[in-house]
Amino acid sequence: YDEIDFISAIKFIDGIEVANFYRKIETDYILEIENNVQESSAYKKDFYSSDQNYTFRQPYIDLKDFIGDLTLVSHYKFFEKQFLKDALNANGLDMIQNNWIDTQESLILQNNYGGSLQDVMDYLDMKLDNELNSNFLPNYAIKKIYNRILN
């Protein structure tokens, strides 16, 4: 079973980084509380939907607030969208309706080349700065690919 461990995003306006977003999904914490709670399932339902306690929902609510109505850019959009849709639905939240650009799809159309994020970085002979925050390396890689193939 696959789960989302963390969510990260970087907001760029006119090519300039203006904010970043990182949330770890604390599944172990939630499961520990659930296993120790002897109350009814109604209590558990309140726990998961309450804004007063940490919930699975909060990182996704925060992400939706962070991205607003901006266009999203990711590598292999179908995978990202399906994971996000499943997580949002599981937490009683609606899927985002943002425009979404897929760097992998664009590469296939332009260069007849797909591949993983690392494969594409190698194919385009692109490197990332070693000083970057490791939580955001995929985001920076996607930005470099986007700038190279779509701008």
Side-chain angles (χ1 to χ4, degrees), residues 139-150:
N139 307 85
Y140 287 113
I142 291 166
K143 179 185 186 262
K144 283 188 86 120
I145 293 166
Y146 173 80
N147 286 338
R148 176 86 165 266
I149 64 171
L150 294 170

Side-chain angles (χ1 to χ4, degrees), residues 12 14 38 41 44 57 64 75 83 104-105 108 112 120 125 132 138 147:
F12 295 95
D14 296 327
Q38 301 300 317
S41 60
K44 290 180 185 177
R57 294 169 52 103
K64 288 175 80 168
H75 192 74
F83 250 88
Q104 184 181 52
E105 182 179 294
I108 291 168
N112 294 321
V120 171
D125 195 28
L132 296 172
N147 286 338

Side-chain angles (χ1 to χ4, degrees), residues 54-106:
Y54 182 90
T55 68
F56 280 129
R57 294 169 52 103
Q58 196 59 50
Y60 302 110
I61 293 167
D62 294 346
L63 176 66
K64 288 175 80 168
D65 289 343
F66 179 78
I67 62 175
D69 62 356
L70 295 172
T71 296
L72 304 177
V73 180
S74 65
H75 192 74
Y76 193 36
K77 168 179 73 173
F78 175 79
F79 177 81
E80 300 287 342
K81 280 181 89 168
Q82 192 60 50
F83 250 88
L84 186 57
K85 180 180 177 183
D86 291 347
L88 291 171
N89 288 340
N91 289 285
L93 299 168
D94 293 330
M95 178 57 177
I96 59 173
Q97 300 302 313
N98 301 54
N99 291 329
W100 204 311
I101 296 171
D102 186 348
T103 55
Q104 184 181 52
E105 182 179 294
S106 298

Side-chain angles (χ1 to χ4, degrees), residues 3-20:
E3 293 180 348
I4 297 176
D5 296 326
F6 67 92
I7 305 168
S8 66
I10 302 174
K11 188 181 294 187
F12 295 95
I13 305 292
D14 296 327
I16 298 170
E17 182 177 339
V18 296
N20 61 49

